[in-house]
Amino acid sequence: EAGVTQFPSHSVIEKGQTVTLRCDPISGHDNLYWYRRVMGKEIKFLLHFVKESKQDESGMPNNRFLAERTGGTYSTLKVQPAELEDSGVYFCASSQVRGEAPLHFGNGTRLTVT
Amino acid sequence: QKEVEQNSGPLSVPEGAIASLNCTYSDRGSQSFFWYRQYSGKSPELIMSIYSNGDKEDGRFTAQLNKASQYVSLLIRDSQPSDSATYLCAVNWRSSASKIIFGSGTRLSIRP
């Protein structure tokens, strides 16, 4: 069984540019989560999808961040325009049961905004 | 008060000893609790999950949960150098039924 895959593994962009991160969850996992870890801080919740629906997006920092999960399969997280404080590692995770089952993490995308 | 609190460490433990990692959480309604291990530059990997009060053992790892005290811990017996990592406590946020919230992690170092 393939795990959670994220692409790209690294991205370096300039302030003001746009970046799109992609996450492919484990097949059959309806629940997909995005998290972010800024250097020295805890892993912060961004949002949660159940299939294609956003269940909780209370952790999204601002309207420069847009997450989609069309068709309930893979998800994308777009940052437009990127700011310096957006730098960090963006993790995607999936699970079978909402809130009660362990999360399976992807390897993360390290985003650097210069 | 932070939602999930952990001592950031570093916690230094001699090889072969017991490492004890602690976590407190603020949402009384939380029902699911997880311990993840994260090596530097890697993604978190699940070590233990616990849902009921008491102890749960898996090999060298024991998770302990006390919902009345809003406290969860992880014990690592016979600590090995390969156990050196950051240990993350995670709790489901019952009020939203969706979120799983992480603590900032405790850095554990096992000295030979």
Side-chain angles (χ1 to χ4, degrees), chain A residues 33 35 37 41-45 48 55-56 58-59 91 98-108 110, chain B residues 2 32 34 36 38 41-44 46 49 51 86 88 92 94 96-105:
Chain A
Y33 298 78
Y35 287 85
R37 186 164 205 168
K41 307 273 187 169
E42 68 268 29
I43 296 177
K44 292 282 261 188
F45 170 87
H48 169 219
Q55 291 297 295
D56 185 337
S58 60
F91 289 106
R98 178 174 71 179
E100 291 151 11
L103 300 178
H104 299 265
F105 279 85
N107 288 330
R110 181 173 295 279
Chain B
K2 277 190 173 182
S32 306
F34 310 98
Y36 287 83
Q38 186 176 25
K42 302 292 187 183
S43 59
L46 181 73
S49 55
Y51 304 93
T86 296
L88 303 166
N92 87 312
R94 197 65 180 167
S96 84
S98 285
K99 288 183 188 179
I100 294 180
I101 305 292
F102 284 80
S104 56

mmCIF file of all heavy atoms in Angstrom, chain A residues 33 35 37 41-45 48 55-56 58-59 91 98-108 110, chain B residues 2 32 34 36 38 41-44 46 49 51 86 88 92 94 96-105:
data_model
loop_
_atom_site.group_PDB
_atom_site.id
_atom_site.type_symbol
_atom_site.label_atom_id
_atom_site.label_comp_id
_atom_site.label_asym_id
_atom_site.label_seq_id
_atom_site.Cartn_x
_atom_site.Cartn_y
_atom_site.Cartn_z
ATOM 1 N N TYR A 33 -5.679 15.930 5.896
ATOM 2 C CA TYR A 33 -5.331 17.075 6.730
ATOM 3 C C TYR A 33 -4.096 17.764 6.149
ATOM 4 O O TYR A 33 -3.199 17.109 5.628
ATOM 5 C CB TYR A 33 -4.974 16.625 8.157
ATOM 6 C CG TYR A 33 -6.080 15.932 8.918
ATOM 7 C CD1 TYR A 33 -6.398 14.602 8.673
ATOM 8 C CD2 TYR A 33 -6.787 16.608 9.920
ATOM 9 C CE1 TYR A 33 -7.391 13.961 9.391
ATOM 10 C CE2 TYR A 33 -7.778 15.959 10.646
ATOM 11 C CZ TYR A 33 -8.073 14.639 10.373
ATOM 12 O OH TYR A 33 -9.057 14.007 11.093
ATOM 13 N N TYR A 35 -1.060 20.346 7.591
ATOM 14 C CA TYR A 35 -0.411 20.937 8.758
ATOM 15 C C TYR A 35 0.810 21.717 8.278
ATOM 16 O O TYR A 35 1.330 21.481 7.190
ATOM 17 C CB TYR A 35 0.074 19.857 9.738
ATOM 18 C CG TYR A 35 -1.011 19.173 10.530
ATOM 19 C CD1 TYR A 35 -1.701 18.085 10.010
ATOM 20 C CD2 TYR A 35 -1.350 19.615 11.809
ATOM 21 C CE1 TYR A 35 -2.695 17.454 10.742
ATOM 22 C CE2 TYR A 35 -2.343 18.985 12.548
ATOM 23 C CZ TYR A 35 -3.006 17.906 12.005
ATOM 24 O OH TYR A 35 -3.997 17.291 12.734
ATOM 25 N N ARG A 37 4.649 23.296 9.846
ATOM 26 C CA ARG A 37 5.596 23.493 10.945
ATOM 27 C C ARG A 37 6.565 24.592 10.545
ATOM 28 O O ARG A 37 7.360 24.435 9.612
ATOM 29 C CB ARG A 37 6.362 22.228 11.273
ATOM 30 C CG ARG A 37 7.248 22.415 12.525
ATOM 31 C CD ARG A 37 7.717 21.109 13.094
ATOM 32 N NE ARG A 37 8.026 21.253 14.519
ATOM 33 C CZ ARG A 37 8.240 20.244 15.351
ATOM 34 N NH1 ARG A 37 8.180 19.014 14.908
ATOM 35 N NH2 ARG A 37 8.505 20.474 16.622
ATOM 36 N N LYS A 41 8.679 25.971 15.976
ATOM 37 C CA LYS A 41 7.319 25.975 16.515
ATOM 38 C C LYS A 41 6.677 24.595 16.362
ATOM 39 O O LYS A 41 7.228 23.714 15.740
ATOM 40 C CB LYS A 41 6.455 26.997 15.752
ATOM 41 C CG LYS A 41 7.046 28.385 15.701
ATOM 42 C CD LYS A 41 6.659 29.181 16.904
ATOM 43 C CE LYS A 41 7.110 30.620 16.739
ATOM 44 N NZ LYS A 41 6.540 31.497 17.752
ATOM 45 N N GLU A 42 5.488 24.458 16.951
ATOM 46 C CA GLU A 42 4.800 23.181 16.864
ATOM 47 C C GLU A 42 4.146 23.000 15.506
ATOM 48 O O GLU A 42 3.998 23.943 14.735
ATOM 49 C CB GLU A 42 3.733 23.055 17.965
ATOM 50 C CG GLU A 42 2.542 23.977 17.827
ATOM 51 C CD GLU A 42 2.731 25.275 18.572
ATOM 52 O OE1 GLU A 42 3.883 25.723 18.732
ATOM 53 O OE2 GLU A 42 1.711 25.864 18.977
ATOM 54 N N ILE A 43 3.781 21.762 15.218
ATOM 55 C CA ILE A 43 3.032 21.454 14.003
ATOM 56 C C ILE A 43 1.619 22.014 14.161
ATOM 57 O O ILE A 43 0.885 21.611 15.053
ATOM 58 C CB ILE A 43 2.989 19.932 13.773
ATOM 59 C CG1 ILE A 43 4.395 19.390 13.522
ATOM 60 C CG2 ILE A 43 2.072 19.596 12.605
ATOM 61 C CD1 ILE A 43 4.459 17.887 13.368
ATOM 62 N N LYS A 44 1.276 22.945 13.291
ATOM 63 C CA LYS A 44 -0.020 23.639 13.414
ATOM 64 C C LYS A 44 -1.016 23.109 12.394
ATOM 65 O O LYS A 44 -0.703 22.967 11.212
ATOM 66 C CB LYS A 44 0.159 25.142 13.182
ATOM 67 C CG LYS A 44 0.942 25.835 14.262
ATOM 68 C CD LYS A 44 0.106 26.086 15.490
ATOM 69 C CE LYS A 44 -0.394 27.500 15.512
ATOM 70 N NZ LYS A 44 -1.061 27.819 16.795
ATOM 71 N N PHE A 45 -2.201 22.857 12.863
ATOM 72 C CA PHE A 45 -3.304 22.423 12.020
ATOM 73 C C PHE A 45 -3.706 23.541 11.070
ATOM 74 O O PHE A 45 -3.834 24.703 11.469
ATOM 75 C CB PHE A 45 -4.491 22.060 12.919
ATOM 76 C CG PHE A 45 -5.784 21.811 12.207
ATOM 77 C CD1 PHE A 45 -6.096 20.558 11.720
ATOM 78 C CD2 PHE A 45 -6.704 22.834 12.059
ATOM 79 C CE1 PHE A 45 -7.305 20.319 11.091
ATOM 80 C CE2 PHE A 45 -7.913 22.612 11.429
ATOM 81 C CZ PHE A 45 -8.215 21.360 10.941
ATOM 82 N N HIS A 48 -8.909 20.466 7.345
ATOM 83 C CA HIS A 48 -9.305 19.068 7.273
ATOM 84 C C HIS A 48 -10.384 18.899 6.210
ATOM 85 O O HIS A 48 -11.387 19.620 6.221
ATOM 86 C CB HIS A 48 -9.818 18.623 8.646
ATOM 87 C CG HIS A 48 -10.488 17.294 8.668
ATOM 88 N ND1 HIS A 48 -11.603 17.041 9.440
ATOM 89 C CD2 HIS A 48 -10.211 16.133 8.030
ATOM 90 C CE1 HIS A 48 -11.980 15.784 9.278
ATOM 91 N NE2 HIS A 48 -11.152 15.214 8.426
ATOM 92 N N GLN A 55 -14.082 20.308 6.235
ATOM 93 C CA GLN A 55 -14.753 20.150 7.519
ATOM 94 C C GLN A 55 -14.343 21.225 8.513
ATOM 95 O O GLN A 55 -15.124 21.642 9.359
ATOM 96 C CB GLN A 55 -14.432 18.778 8.110
ATOM 97 C CG GLN A 55 -15.044 17.637 7.343
ATOM 98 C CD GLN A 55 -16.554 17.695 7.352
ATOM 99 O OE1 GLN A 55 -17.190 17.561 8.395
ATOM 100 N NE2 GLN A 55 -17.168 17.892 6.195
ATOM 101 N N ASP A 56 -13.109 21.610 8.444
ATOM 102 C CA ASP A 56 -12.583 22.578 9.405
ATOM 103 C C ASP A 56 -11.404 23.259 8.748
ATOM 104 O O ASP A 56 -10.432 22.602 8.412
ATOM 105 C CB ASP A 56 -12.156 21.866 10.694
ATOM 106 C CG ASP A 56 -11.720 22.814 11.793
ATOM 107 O OD1 ASP A 56 -11.328 23.953 11.500
ATOM 108 O OD2 ASP A 56 -11.747 22.405 12.972
ATOM 109 N N SER A 58 -10.227 26.218 10.153
ATOM 110 C CA SER A 58 -9.972 27.264 11.135
ATOM 111 C C SER A 58 -8.492 27.592 11.288
ATOM 112 O O SER A 58 -8.138 28.635 11.820
ATOM 113 C CB SER A 58 -10.544 26.853 12.495
ATOM 114 O OG SER A 58 -9.946 25.647 12.941
ATOM 115 N N GLY A 59 -7.622 26.711 10.829
ATOM 116 C CA GLY A 59 -6.194 26.954 10.978
ATOM 117 C C GLY A 59 -5.549 27.660 9.797
ATOM 118 O O GLY A 59 -4.363 28.007 9.846
ATOM 119 N N PHE A 91 3.027 19.666 5.930
ATOM 120 C CA PHE A 91 2.748 18.232 5.987
ATOM 121 C C PHE A 91 1.303 17.968 5.604
ATOM 122 O O PHE A 91 0.395 18.691 5.987
ATOM 123 C CB PHE A 91 2.970 17.684 7.401
ATOM 124 C CG PHE A 91 4.401 17.603 7.826
ATOM 125 C CD1 PHE A 91 4.911 18.500 8.744
ATOM 126 C CD2 PHE A 91 5.226 16.614 7.326
ATOM 127 C CE1 PHE A 91 6.234 18.427 9.159
ATOM 128 C CE2 PHE A 91 6.550 16.532 7.735
ATOM 129 C CZ PHE A 91 7.054 17.438 8.645
ATOM 130 N N ARG A 98 -12.358 10.048 11.086
ATOM 131 C CA ARG A 98 -12.160 11.429 11.509
ATOM 132 C C ARG A 98 -11.874 11.517 13.001
ATOM 133 O O ARG A 98 -12.659 11.081 13.814
ATOM 134 C CB ARG A 98 -13.425 12.216 11.182
ATOM 135 C CG ARG A 98 -13.392 13.665 11.609
ATOM 136 C CD ARG A 98 -14.616 14.398 11.128
ATOM 137 N NE ARG A 98 -15.813 13.998 11.830
ATOM 138 C CZ ARG A 98 -17.002 14.521 11.592
ATOM 139 N NH1 ARG A 98 -17.135 15.436 10.652
ATOM 140 N NH2 ARG A 98 -18.056 14.125 12.265
ATOM 141 N N GLY A 99 -10.729 12.096 13.304
ATOM 142 C CA GLY A 99 -10.411 12.478 14.675
ATOM 143 C C GLY A 99 -10.088 11.342 15.615
ATOM 144 O O GLY A 99 -9.623 11.566 16.722
ATOM 145 N N GLU A 100 -10.324 10.109 15.197
ATOM 146 C CA GLU A 100 -10.160 9.012 16.149
ATOM 147 C C GLU A 100 -9.107 8.019 15.726
ATOM 148 O O GLU A 100 -8.738 7.142 16.495
ATOM 149 C CB GLU A 100 -11.503 8.275 16.313
ATOM 150 C CG GLU A 100 -12.535 9.115 17.022
ATOM 151 C CD GLU A 100 -13.949 8.761 16.608
ATOM 152 O OE1 GLU A 100 -14.130 7.732 15.940
ATOM 153 O OE2 GLU A 100 -14.858 9.516 16.946
ATOM 154 N N ALA A 101 -8.647 8.139 14.529
ATOM 155 C CA ALA A 101 -7.648 7.209 14.036
ATOM 156 C C ALA A 101 -6.335 7.954 13.841
ATOM 157 O O ALA A 101 -6.327 9.159 13.598
ATOM 158 C CB ALA A 101 -8.100 6.581 12.730
ATOM 159 N N PRO A 102 -5.247 7.233 13.962
ATOM 160 C CA PRO A 102 -3.965 7.893 13.777
ATOM 161 C C PRO A 102 -3.817 8.494 12.387
ATOM 162 O O PRO A 102 -4.400 8.011 11.419
ATOM 163 C CB PRO A 102 -2.963 6.738 13.957
ATOM 164 C CG PRO A 102 -3.694 5.708 14.724
ATOM 165 C CD PRO A 102 -5.127 5.820 14.308
ATOM 166 N N LEU A 103 -3.045 9.541 12.327
ATOM 167 C CA LEU A 103 -2.732 10.174 11.058
ATOM 168 C C LEU A 103 -1.506 9.513 10.439
ATOM 169 O O LEU A 103 -0.561 9.174 11.138
ATOM 170 C CB LEU A 103 -2.442 11.658 11.279
ATOM 171 C CG LEU A 103 -3.550 12.495 11.888
ATOM 172 C CD1 LEU A 103 -3.069 13.926 12.091
ATOM 173 C CD2 LEU A 103 -4.792 12.471 11.018
ATOM 174 N N HIS A 104 -1.565 9.361 9.127
ATOM 175 C CA HIS A 104 -0.413 8.877 8.370
ATOM 176 C C HIS A 104 0.137 10.074 7.608
ATOM 177 O O HIS A 104 -0.576 10.661 6.789
ATOM 178 C CB HIS A 104 -0.836 7.776 7.408
ATOM 179 C CG HIS A 104 -1.420 6.588 8.099
ATOM 180 N ND1 HIS A 104 -0.670 5.478 8.431
ATOM 181 C CD2 HIS A 104 -2.673 6.347 8.545
ATOM 182 C CE1 HIS A 104 -1.452 4.597 9.037
ATOM 183 N NE2 HIS A 104 -2.666 5.094 9.126
ATOM 184 N N PHE A 105 1.377 10.416 7.875
ATOM 185 C CA PHE A 105 1.956 11.622 7.318
ATOM 186 C C PHE A 105 2.723 11.371 6.036
ATOM 187 O O PHE A 105 3.352 10.319 5.869
ATOM 188 C CB PHE A 105 2.914 12.254 8.335
ATOM 189 C CG PHE A 105 2.223 13.064 9.389
ATOM 190 C CD1 PHE A 105 1.716 12.449 10.525
ATOM 191 C CD2 PHE A 105 2.078 14.436 9.251
ATOM 192 C CE1 PHE A 105 1.071 13.196 11.507
ATOM 193 C CE2 PHE A 105 1.438 15.185 10.220
ATOM 194 C CZ PHE A 105 0.935 14.565 11.343
ATOM 195 N N GLY A 106 2.685 12.365 5.156
ATOM 196 C CA GLY A 106 3.602 12.404 4.036
ATOM 197 C C GLY A 106 4.944 12.941 4.496
ATOM 198 O O GLY A 106 5.106 13.322 5.662
ATOM 199 N N ASN A 107 5.897 12.975 3.585
ATOM 200 C CA ASN A 107 7.248 13.423 3.946
ATOM 201 C C ASN A 107 7.367 14.935 4.041
ATOM 202 O O ASN A 107 8.396 15.447 4.464
ATOM 203 C CB ASN A 107 8.273 12.889 2.945
ATOM 204 C CG ASN A 107 8.486 11.397 3.123
ATOM 205 O OD1 ASN A 107 8.359 10.871 4.219
ATOM 206 N ND2 ASN A 107 8.784 10.706 2.030
ATOM 207 N N GLY A 108 6.324 15.637 3.640
ATOM 208 C CA GLY A 108 6.339 17.084 3.776
ATOM 209 C C GLY A 108 6.928 17.794 2.577
ATOM 210 O O GLY A 108 7.695 17.215 1.793
ATOM 211 N N ARG A 110 9.107 21.224 2.002
ATOM 212 C CA ARG A 110 9.825 22.325 2.663
ATOM 213 C C ARG A 110 9.742 23.536 1.750
ATOM 214 O O ARG A 110 10.286 23.530 0.644
ATOM 215 C CB ARG A 110 11.273 21.951 2.923
ATOM 216 C CG ARG A 110 12.064 23.056 3.621
ATOM 217 C CD ARG A 110 13.452 22.593 4.017
ATOM 218 N NE ARG A 110 13.413 21.539 5.021
ATOM 219 C CZ ARG A 110 13.255 21.748 6.325
ATOM 220 N NH1 ARG A 110 13.158 22.982 6.793
ATOM 221 N NH2 ARG A 110 13.245 20.731 7.166
ATOM 222 N N LYS B 2 -1.782 26.724 26.540
ATOM 223 C CA LYS B 2 -1.659 26.047 25.262
ATOM 224 C C LYS B 2 -2.599 24.860 25.221
ATOM 225 O O LYS B 2 -2.906 24.253 26.245
ATOM 226 C CB LYS B 2 -0.220 25.561 25.078
ATOM 227 C CG LYS B 2 0.734 26.618 24.558
ATOM 228 C CD LYS B 2 2.051 25.954 24.177
ATOM 229 C CE LYS B 2 2.962 26.945 23.504
ATOM 230 N NZ LYS B 2 4.224 26.311 23.087
ATOM 231 N N SER B 32 -9.078 10.918 21.970
ATOM 232 C CA SER B 32 -8.043 10.133 21.286
ATOM 233 C C SER B 32 -6.697 10.817 21.477
ATOM 234 O O SER B 32 -6.591 12.037 21.307
ATOM 235 C CB SER B 32 -8.355 10.035 19.786
ATOM 236 O OG SER B 32 -9.650 9.527 19.586
ATOM 237 N N PHE B 34 -2.342 10.444 20.903
ATOM 238 C CA PHE B 34 -1.334 9.785 20.080
ATOM 239 C C PHE B 34 0.060 10.284 20.448
ATOM 240 O O PHE B 34 0.248 11.442 20.810
ATOM 241 C CB PHE B 34 -1.583 10.087 18.589
ATOM 242 C CG PHE B 34 -2.994 9.843 18.145
ATOM 243 C CD1 PHE B 34 -3.890 10.901 18.062
ATOM 244 C CD2 PHE B 34 -3.428 8.581 17.812
ATOM 245 C CE1 PHE B 34 -5.202 10.686 17.662
ATOM 246 C CE2 PHE B 34 -4.738 8.358 17.412
ATOM 247 C CZ PHE B 34 -5.630 9.419 17.331
ATOM 248 N N TYR B 36 3.771 10.506 18.561
ATOM 249 C CA TYR B 36 4.510 10.384 17.315
ATOM 250 C C TYR B 36 5.989 10.619 17.598
ATOM 251 O O TYR B 36 6.360 11.385 18.482
ATOM 252 C CB TYR B 36 4.040 11.427 16.289
ATOM 253 C CG TYR B 36 2.683 11.144 15.697
ATOM 254 C CD1 TYR B 36 1.524 11.509 16.375
ATOM 255 C CD2 TYR B 36 2.560 10.514 14.467
ATOM 256 C CE1 TYR B 36 0.275 11.242 15.834
ATOM 257 C CE2 TYR B 36 1.315 10.250 13.921
ATOM 258 C CZ TYR B 36 0.183 10.617 14.613
ATOM 259 O OH TYR B 36 -1.051 10.353 14.075
ATOM 260 N N GLN B 38 9.510 11.892 15.669
ATOM 261 C CA GLN B 38 9.960 12.588 14.477
ATOM 262 C C GLN B 38 11.477 12.752 14.530
ATOM 263 O O GLN B 38 12.018 13.423 15.409
ATOM 264 C CB GLN B 38 9.291 13.966 14.348
ATOM 265 C CG GLN B 38 9.626 14.675 13.049
ATOM 266 C CD GLN B 38 8.876 15.992 12.887
ATOM 267 O OE1 GLN B 38 8.477 16.625 13.856
ATOM 268 N NE2 GLN B 38 8.680 16.409 11.650
ATOM 269 N N GLY B 41 14.328 16.265 10.104
ATOM 270 C CA GLY B 41 14.161 16.291 8.656
ATOM 271 C C GLY B 41 13.195 15.260 8.104
ATOM 272 O O GLY B 41 13.031 15.152 6.887
ATOM 273 N N LYS B 42 12.570 14.513 9.004
ATOM 274 C CA LYS B 42 11.633 13.477 8.558
ATOM 275 C C LYS B 42 10.215 13.820 8.989
ATOM 276 O O LYS B 42 9.991 14.781 9.727
ATOM 277 C CB LYS B 42 12.034 12.110 9.161
ATOM 278 C CG LYS B 42 13.430 11.668 8.809
ATOM 279 C CD LYS B 42 13.550 11.336 7.348
ATOM 280 C CE LYS B 42 14.907 10.742 7.032
ATOM 281 N NZ LYS B 42 15.068 10.472 5.585
ATOM 282 N N SER B 43 9.266 13.020 8.531
ATOM 283 C CA SER B 43 7.875 13.239 8.921
ATOM 284 C C SER B 43 7.561 12.484 10.209
ATOM 285 O O SER B 43 8.257 11.519 10.545
ATOM 286 C CB SER B 43 6.941 12.784 7.800
ATOM 287 O OG SER B 43 7.146 11.421 7.523
ATOM 288 N N PRO B 44 6.544 12.910 10.935
ATOM 289 C CA PRO B 44 6.170 12.192 12.167
ATOM 290 C C PRO B 44 5.683 10.786 11.856
ATOM 291 O O PRO B 44 4.983 10.572 10.865
ATOM 292 C CB PRO B 44 5.023 13.044 12.731
ATOM 293 C CG PRO B 44 5.175 14.380 12.085
ATOM 294 C CD PRO B 44 5.733 14.113 10.729
ATOM 295 N N LEU B 46 3.808 7.355 13.773
ATOM 296 C CA LEU B 46 3.032 6.969 14.943
ATOM 297 C C LEU B 46 3.766 5.929 15.782
ATOM 298 O O LEU B 46 4.271 4.929 15.264
ATOM 299 C CB LEU B 46 1.680 6.395 14.504
ATOM 300 C CG LEU B 46 0.762 5.966 15.639
ATOM 301 C CD1 LEU B 46 0.193 7.210 16.337
ATOM 302 C CD2 LEU B 46 -0.373 5.103 15.102
ATOM 303 N N SER B 49 -1.091 4.872 20.163
ATOM 304 C CA SER B 49 -2.361 5.565 20.319
ATOM 305 C C SER B 49 -3.034 5.009 21.562
ATOM 306 O O SER B 49 -2.871 3.826 21.889
ATOM 307 C CB SER B 49 -3.253 5.378 19.098
ATOM 308 O OG SER B 49 -3.433 4.006 18.810
ATOM 309 N N TYR B 51 -6.796 5.427 24.041
ATOM 310 C CA TYR B 51 -8.127 6.010 24.051
ATOM 311 C C TYR B 51 -8.815 5.901 25.417
ATOM 312 O O TYR B 51 -9.798 6.602 25.671
ATOM 313 C CB TYR B 51 -9.019 5.319 23.004
ATOM 314 C CG TYR B 51 -8.436 5.352 21.611
ATOM 315 C CD1 TYR B 51 -7.654 4.300 21.137
ATOM 316 C CD2 TYR B 51 -8.643 6.442 20.768
ATOM 317 C CE1 TYR B 51 -7.110 4.328 19.858
ATOM 318 C CE2 TYR B 51 -8.103 6.476 19.491
ATOM 319 C CZ TYR B 51 -7.339 5.414 19.042
ATOM 320 O OH TYR B 51 -6.791 5.446 17.776
ATOM 321 N N THR B 86 12.572 13.674 18.360
ATOM 322 C CA THR B 86 11.562 14.529 18.993
ATOM 323 C C THR B 86 10.262 13.747 19.088
ATOM 324 O O THR B 86 9.830 13.138 18.105
ATOM 325 C CB THR B 86 11.352 15.821 18.186
ATOM 326 O OG1 THR B 86 12.548 16.584 18.202
ATOM 327 C CG2 THR B 86 10.224 16.649 18.789
ATOM 328 N N LEU B 88 6.278 13.792 19.760
ATOM 329 C CA LEU B 88 5.136 14.692 19.658
ATOM 330 C C LEU B 88 3.899 14.049 20.265
ATOM 331 O O LEU B 88 3.555 12.910 19.931
ATOM 332 C CB LEU B 88 4.856 15.019 18.189
ATOM 333 C CG LEU B 88 6.003 15.625 17.389
ATOM 334 C CD1 LEU B 88 5.692 15.580 15.902
ATOM 335 C CD2 LEU B 88 6.254 17.052 17.822
ATOM 336 N N ASN B 92 -6.991 14.639 19.834
ATOM 337 C CA ASN B 92 -8.093 15.097 18.971
ATOM 338 C C ASN B 92 -8.898 16.146 19.711
ATOM 339 O O ASN B 92 -9.115 16.065 20.908
ATOM 340 C CB ASN B 92 -8.963 13.932 18.490
ATOM 341 C CG ASN B 92 -10.064 13.574 19.460
ATOM 342 O OD1 ASN B 92 -9.832 13.427 20.652
ATOM 343 N ND2 ASN B 92 -11.278 13.467 18.956
ATOM 344 N N ARG B 94 -12.064 17.650 20.524
ATOM 345 C CA ARG B 94 -13.441 17.168 20.486
ATOM 346 C C ARG B 94 -14.429 18.251 20.054
ATOM 347 O O ARG B 94 -15.431 17.972 19.412
ATOM 348 C CB ARG B 94 -13.820 16.669 21.880
ATOM 349 C CG ARG B 94 -15.037 15.793 21.878
ATOM 350 C CD ARG B 94 -14.769 14.519 21.113
ATOM 351 N NE ARG B 94 -15.937 13.657 21.104
ATOM 352 C CZ ARG B 94 -16.063 12.613 20.308
ATOM 353 N NH1 ARG B 94 -15.091 12.308 19.479
ATOM 354 N NH2 ARG B 94 -17.130 11.856 20.352
ATOM 355 N N SER B 96 -14.294 20.424 17.852
ATOM 356 C CA SER B 96 -14.441 20.580 16.411
ATOM 357 C C SER B 96 -14.665 19.250 15.725
ATOM 358 O O SER B 96 -15.078 19.224 14.583
ATOM 359 C CB SER B 96 -13.201 21.239 15.822
ATOM 360 O OG SER B 96 -12.208 20.272 15.576
ATOM 361 N N ALA B 97 -14.369 18.179 16.424
ATOM 362 C CA ALA B 97 -14.508 16.812 15.909
ATOM 363 C C ALA B 97 -13.611 16.538 14.715
ATOM 364 O O ALA B 97 -13.666 15.478 14.134
ATOM 365 C CB ALA B 97 -15.960 16.501 15.540
ATOM 366 N N SER B 98 -12.839 17.502 14.335
ATOM 367 C CA SER B 98 -11.980 17.309 13.170
ATOM 368 C C SER B 98 -10.507 17.405 13.494
ATOM 369 O O SER B 98 -9.706 16.625 13.010
ATOM 370 C CB SER B 98 -12.293 18.362 12.109
ATOM 371 O OG SER B 98 -13.483 18.081 11.440
ATOM 372 N N LYS B 99 -10.170 18.385 14.300
ATOM 373 C CA LYS B 99 -8.755 18.677 14.488
ATOM 374 C C LYS B 99 -8.046 17.631 15.310
ATOM 375 O O LYS B 99 -8.589 17.104 16.269
ATOM 376 C CB LYS B 99 -8.604 19.983 15.270
ATOM 377 C CG LYS B 99 -8.935 21.237 14.546
ATOM 378 C CD LYS B 99 -8.648 22.402 15.484
ATOM 379 C CE LYS B 99 -9.119 23.698 14.936
ATOM 380 N NZ LYS B 99 -8.856 24.806 15.873
ATOM 381 N N ILE B 100 -6.821 17.375 14.946
ATOM 382 C CA ILE B 100 -5.885 16.711 15.838
ATOM 383 C C ILE B 100 -4.779 17.727 16.071
ATOM 384 O O ILE B 100 -4.160 18.209 15.125
ATOM 385 C CB ILE B 100 -5.355 15.398 15.246
ATOM 386 C CG1 ILE B 100 -6.513 14.397 15.146
ATOM 387 C CG2 ILE B 100 -4.225 14.839 16.095
ATOM 388 C CD1 ILE B 100 -6.144 13.050 14.576
ATOM 389 N N ILE B 101 -4.585 18.058 17.343
ATOM 390 C CA ILE B 101 -3.685 19.140 17.727
ATOM 391 C C ILE B 101 -2.394 18.548 18.281
ATOM 392 O O ILE B 101 -2.440 17.593 19.062
ATOM 393 C CB ILE B 101 -4.329 20.037 18.808
ATOM 394 C CG1 ILE B 101 -5.667 20.562 18.330
ATOM 395 C CG2 ILE B 101 -3.402 21.178 19.177
ATOM 396 C CD1 ILE B 101 -5.593 21.529 17.192
ATOM 397 N N PHE B 102 -1.281 19.142 17.888
ATOM 398 C CA PHE B 102 0.024 18.650 18.322
ATOM 399 C C PHE B 102 0.655 19.571 19.359
ATOM 400 O O PHE B 102 0.492 20.794 19.310
ATOM 401 C CB PHE B 102 0.981 18.561 17.123
ATOM 402 C CG PHE B 102 0.714 17.392 16.231
ATOM 403 C CD1 PHE B 102 -0.306 17.438 15.298
ATOM 404 C CD2 PHE B 102 1.467 16.245 16.342
ATOM 405 C CE1 PHE B 102 -0.567 16.346 14.473
ATOM 406 C CE2 PHE B 102 1.232 15.156 15.526
ATOM 407 C CZ PHE B 102 0.202 15.209 14.592
ATOM 408 N N GLY B 103 1.385 18.973 20.278
ATOM 409 C CA GLY B 103 2.265 19.730 21.139
ATOM 410 C C GLY B 103 3.529 20.095 20.381
ATOM 411 O O GLY B 103 3.745 19.636 19.251
ATOM 412 N N SER B 104 4.358 20.894 21.014
ATOM 413 C CA SER B 104 5.569 21.355 20.329
ATOM 414 C C SER B 104 6.670 20.303 20.313
ATOM 415 O O SER B 104 7.662 20.454 19.614
ATOM 416 C CB SER B 104 6.087 22.636 20.988
ATOM 417 O OG SER B 104 6.306 22.411 22.359
ATOM 418 N N GLY B 105 6.470 19.220 21.073
ATOM 419 C CA GLY B 105 7.435 18.123 21.039
ATOM 420 C C GLY B 105 8.490 18.208 22.111
ATOM 421 O O GLY B 105 8.865 19.305 22.550
#
